Amino acid sequence: MTAAAETKRATGLRMFAQPIAVVVLVAAVLAWAFTRDLDAIERQSINGPVLLDAVWDHLVISVVVTALVLIIAVPLGIVLTRRWARPAAPVFLAIATIGQASPAIGVLVLFFLLSGWEGLWAAALPITFYTLLPVLRNTMVGLQQIDPALVDAGRGIGMSAFAVLRRIELPLAVPLILAGLRTALVHAVGVATLAVFVNGGGLGLLIDTGYKLSRLTVLITGAVLAVALALLVDWLGTVAETYLGPKGLR
Amino acid sequence: MSFWEFVSDRWSRLLSESLLHVSAVVQCTILAAIVGVTVGIAVYRSPFGSAVATALTSAILTIPSFALLGLLIPVLGLGAPPTVAALVLYGLLPIVRNTIVGLAGVDGAVTDAARGIGMNRLGVLTRIELRLAWPAILAGMRVATQMLMGIAAIAAYARGPGLGVEIFAGLTRAGSANATNQAIAGTVGIVVLALILDGIFVLIGRYTTSRGLRGQ
Amino acid sequence: MASEIQLTEVTKRYGRRPPAVDNFSITIPAGQIVVFVGPSGCGKTTTMRMINRLIEPTSGLITIGGEDTSKLDPDQLRRKIGYAIQQAGLFPHMTVAQNVGVVPGLLGWDRGKVADRVEEMLDLVGLDPAEFRDRFPRQLSGGQQQRVGVARALAADPPVLLMDEPFGAVDPITRGNLQDELMRLQAELHKTIVFVTHDFDEAVKLGDRIAVLGDQSRILQYDTPEAVLANPADDTVAGFVGAGASLKQLTLRRVRDVQLSQAAVTVSTSDEPADIRRSLQEAGASFALMLDTRRRPVAWVHVREPRMRRPIRDMVSRESTLQDALEAILTDGGNAVVTGARGEYVGLVDIDTVMASVRELRENA
C-alpha cells in the first residue's frame, strides 16, 4: 500500500462524505437555532439577513485572498523558476516559510496595529501573506519537476520560450498548482474567521458575539457554519482539482 | 518605549509566557502522538480503516481553529481544557498519516523474517515496525508542532496560556503606547520558538534514528 | 543434532478456491538437505511455511523430531527453527551483530554468551567479526547480506533450518559461492534443511534429496539428484530437468572429486616485474598466478606484460561443482582457480579435466 494510493482512497471517501456532512451540519444547526426560544440579543444575530451577511463577508474575504494569492504566487513562482532568476528563489521561499511559521492571529493583529486599517483589506492582505507559501512552493515544484527533455523538444520544434511556458510547462504544472491553491483556499476560509478582530466581519463575528455576550446559540451557530463553509470549500477544491487537471496525467 | 526597552521591561513575564506556550505545544504534541500512533497501529493493516482515519483527521484539519475553539468552549469551559483538546485534535492528522505511511512502508520481507525467527506480534510491532516507521512518525510530530505553535496563539482567546495573550492584549489596547510592542513580542516570539523547536526536532531525529536507516 | 520432519496429509485451503497445497506427505530425514523445487506458484513456499506455522495448515499433521508442531506455541516453535529468506530480510535498523543476536536474545541468553555466539557465527559464514559486527545491512553487498541472513538463522543452533530461495537475489557468481559455503557448513553442522528454490541446478547441487513439485504442491518425484537426473519420473519432470542433462550431471561432481593441476609458476604481489618475467621464461610458461602475502590468488600475469595484472573474476572451492568450475573457466579463460577455506590457493581445474568427467558421466549413465 503506497502513500499515494492511501491519499487517493481517503480523497475518494471525502469526495463522497463531505457534501453530505455539510448539508447535514447546516440543516441541523439552522433548524436547532431557529426553533429555540431566542431572547432579544440572540434575535439580533440569529436571523436570515445577519447570517447571510456574515457568510457573504466570509466568502468575500476568502475569494479576495485566493485571487490575490493566485495573482501574486503563480507569476512569482514562474519568474523564480526562470534560469535568470533562480538565485533569488531561496530568499523568497525563506520569507514565505517564515510567513507560514508565524501565527495567523499575530500577523493579522500586527498589520492592523501598524497600518491602522480596518475591514476587508485589513483582513485580506495579511491573510494573503500568510497563505502564499503553499501556492508559491507548489508552482515552483510543479515547474521544476517537468522533464527538461519536454522543454527541449518544445524549443526544438520552434516554440518561443513563452509558448513553451504556456503550452507545455504550465499545463503540466496545473495539478500541483491547483493542489496548492486548494490548501491556500482552505487556509483562507479558516483564517477569515479571525477577520472579526480587525472589524472584517465574517462568521467569526457570530462566534465572538456569542462568546462575549454569553449567548451559546449564537456562538455555536457561527462556529458550525464556519466548519460547514470550510468543508464545502475544501470539497469544491477537491472537485476542481480532479476535473481541471490535464486529462493525460490523471 | 522602544521595542527592546519593552522586552527587557517585561522579560520575566514574556519568558514565562514563552515557557507556557512551548510546554502546552510540546505536551499536546506528545498526547497527539500517543493517540495518533495508536490510531495508526489500529488501522494500518486495513486499507479501508486507513482511508477513514486519514479522511477524518484531514477533515478535522479543515475546520477553522477559531470555530473549533468556539465549539469547545460550551463543552469544556475556558483555559487549559479547550486549548489542549483543540491542539491535540489538530496535531492528529500529520501524525496519523505518517504513522500509517511509515508502518505500511515496512518491507514485507523484514516482518516475515521477524515472524519467522519467532518474534511475537507485539515484538514485531515494537522492535521492528515502529522502529522502522519512527523517522516518518517523528516527521509527522515535527509538522504538527509547527502548526500547533500558531494555533496555540488563538487559544489565548479562550483564556489559554502562552504568547497569544500578548497578541490579544495588543489588540484590545490598540492605540495605547505598548500595544504594537506586545503584538510584536507575541508574534516574533512564536516564530523564534517555532524555529528553535524545529531545530530540536532535527537533533532528536539524529539521535533517535538508527544509523542503518539514514541516507536511504 | 538434527530432527526428522514429517508432513502427513497436509492440506491448505484459502476459502472456496482449490487447495493451495493438497494432501501433501513427505518425510525429511534428519541431517539432510531436502530441496523443494518447482515452478513459481506451485505451493512450495506455502508448504515450507506450514512447517514453522507462518501459515497454519487447514488439515494434516506436521511433526518435528516426533513432536506435533500444532501442540506448541508458534513463537516458541519458530525460535527453534532457523529461517532464511530471499533478500535476507535483515532488520535495517539493527547492526549485523544485533541481527545475528536476535534469536539468542529472544531465547533469553545472557549478553556475554550472545556476543560470543555472534562472533562465532560471523566467523562461520566467512565474515570477519571485527570488520562487520557494527555495520548496518545497507552497508553490505547482497552476498554479504545473505551470509548474515544465514548466520542469523543458525545463531541459536536450531536443529532445523528453513530456507526460502535464500540466494535468489544475488548475481550468479556470488550465488555459486554462497552455495559452496552452505555445503561446507552443512558438512560441519548436519542440520535438517528444507530448501525452496525454482532453480533446478541449485536443487541438484545442494540437495541430498530433491522433491520436484507440481501444482498444489503435488510431489512429482522425490529422490536423490542422481536418480532424478537419470530417470525423470514423467514428462513434466523431464521438462524441468531440461536439455543437456549430461552437462547438468556436472553439478553432481565436485571439484574435490577430481585431480587438481598446479600453476606452472606462482609469484607474489611483492615480486618485481623483471623477476616475474625471468621465472616465467625459465619455466617456459606464458602465464603466472599471482598470490598475495596470505597466498590468496589475486591475478594472472603474462610474460610479455608482467606489469599488467588480469584480475580473477570467478574462483571456485573444493565444494563447488564441476559446473561452477566450467563457468569459471569460461569467464576467465584457461583454468579455474580453486581456493581453500580461508581463500588460499590450492590448485587449478583445467578444461581437459572437466571434459574427461563429462565423458565418464556419459558412459556411466
Side-chain angles (χ1 to χ4, degrees), chain C residues 57-75:
Chain C
T58 311
S59 64
L61 176 69
I62 299 174
T63 62
I64 297 178
E67 210 173 356
D68 181 354
T69 56
S70 67
K71 300 278 190 292
L72 302 168
D73 174 76
D75 293 326

Side-chain angles (χ1 to χ4, degrees), chain C residues 5-7 10 21 24-29 32-40 42-52 62 161-166 192-204 206-214 217-223 240:
Chain C
I5 306 172
Q6 229 167 357
L7 288 84
V10 172
V21 176
F24 183 91
S25 297
I26 199 170
T27 301
I28 295 158
Q32 293 208 351
I33 302 185
V34 169
V35 182
F36 291 175
V37 61
S40 55
C42 73
K44 55 190 189 298
T45 296
T46 307
T47 308
M48 192 200 78
R49 288 162 69 92
M50 286 192 285
I51 297 174
N52 66 355
I62 299 174
L161 207 57
L162 304 181
M163 308 185 91
D164 187 2
E165 306 219 12
T192 309
I193 300 179
V194 180
F195 192 106
V196 164
T197 182
H198 63 261
D199 176 356
F200 194 75
D201 293 341
E202 185 168 63
V204 171
L206 294 176
D208 292 310
R209 298 168 74 82
I210 301 178
V212 185
L213 305 183
S217 220
R218 195 159 52 82
I219 299 178
L220 303 177
Q221 188 166 10
Y222 180 43
D223 214 326
F240 211 62

Side-chain angles (χ1 to χ4, degrees), chain A residues 1 6 14 106 110 208 211 219, chain B residues 44 50 58 62 70 157 184 187:
Chain A
M1 188 166 40
E6 186 57 46
R14 295 182 60 187
L110 260 184
D208 190 48
Y211 173 67
L219 193 163
Chain B
Y44 82 99
S50 300
S58 63
T62 313
Y157 181 80
I184 294 178
T187 308

Side-chain angles (χ1 to χ4, degrees), chain B residues 50-73:
Chain B
S50 300
V52 170
T54 310
L56 266 182
T57 49
S58 63
I60 294 177
L61 200 67
T62 313
I63 297 175
S65 39
F66 187 50
L68 182 66
L69 208 60
L71 286 174
L72 289 172
I73 292 172

Side-chain angles (χ1 to χ4, degrees), chain C residues 94-305:
Chain C
M94 296 184 186
T95 62
V96 165
Q98 287 167 333
N99 264 289
V100 176
V102 168
V103 186
L106 288 171
L107 291 170
W109 294 17
D110 67 58
R111 269 166 199 277
K113 198 174 156 201
V114 173
D116 293 345
R117 185 63 179 173
V118 167
E119 305 267 308
E120 192 185 336
M121 283 297 110
L122 289 179
D123 254 340
L124 189 68
V125 297
L127 295 173
D128 177 11
E131 189 184 344
F132 288 97
R133 193 171 32 213
D134 295 322
R135 289 212 200 166
F136 286 95
R138 68 182 168 92
Q139 298 164 318
L140 304 177
S141 70
Q144 289 164 342
Q145 290 186 13
Q146 296 299 349
R147 283 166 198 263
V148 176
V150 172
R152 182 174 69 182
L154 289 169
D157 199 21
V160 171
L161 207 57
L162 304 181
M163 308 185 91
D164 187 2
E165 306 219 12
F167 310 141
V170 292
D171 65 273
I173 290 175
T174 311
R175 187 183 313 148
N177 292 339
L178 289 167
Q179 289 164 347
D180 296 348
E181 203 84 359
L182 182 64
M183 302 297 297
R184 183 176 62 75
L185 285 177
Q186 175 65 354
E188 250 175 75
L189 303 172
H190 303 293
K191 303 286 183 190
T192 309
I193 300 179
V194 180
F195 192 106
V196 164
T197 182
H198 63 261
D199 176 356
F200 194 75
D201 293 341
E202 185 168 63
V204 171
K205 177 172 175 181
L206 294 176
D208 292 310
R209 298 168 74 82
I210 301 178
V212 185
L213 305 183
D215 278 348
Q216 303 178 334
S217 220
R218 195 159 52 82
I219 299 178
L220 303 177
Q221 188 166 10
Y222 180 43
D223 214 326
T224 61
E226 291 82 354
V228 175
L229 280 177
N231 301 303
D234 59 20
D235 288 351
T236 320
V237 178
F240 211 62
V241 170
S246 58
L247 258 181
K248 272 205 176 104
Q249 292 194 340
L250 279 177
T251 55
L252 296 171
R253 280 289 179 98
R254 310 231 172 245
V255 169
R256 60 169 184 255
D257 301 334
V258 300
Q259 184 73 45
L260 297 184
S261 56
Q262 290 298 329
V265 178
T266 60
V267 296
S268 162
T269 43
S270 53
D271 289 349
E272 291 295 324
D275 295 337
I276 295 176
R277 176 177 294 168
R278 191 161 344 101
S279 36
L280 272 169
Q281 282 165 343
E282 276 167 17
S286 48
F287 277 101
L289 181 63
M290 180 175 277
L291 309 176
D292 68 8
T293 47
R294 292 168 64 181
R295 288 196 55 77
R296 291 178 300 195
V298 179
W300 290 102
V301 185
H302 192 262
V303 63
R304 272 199 304 277
E305 299 162 300

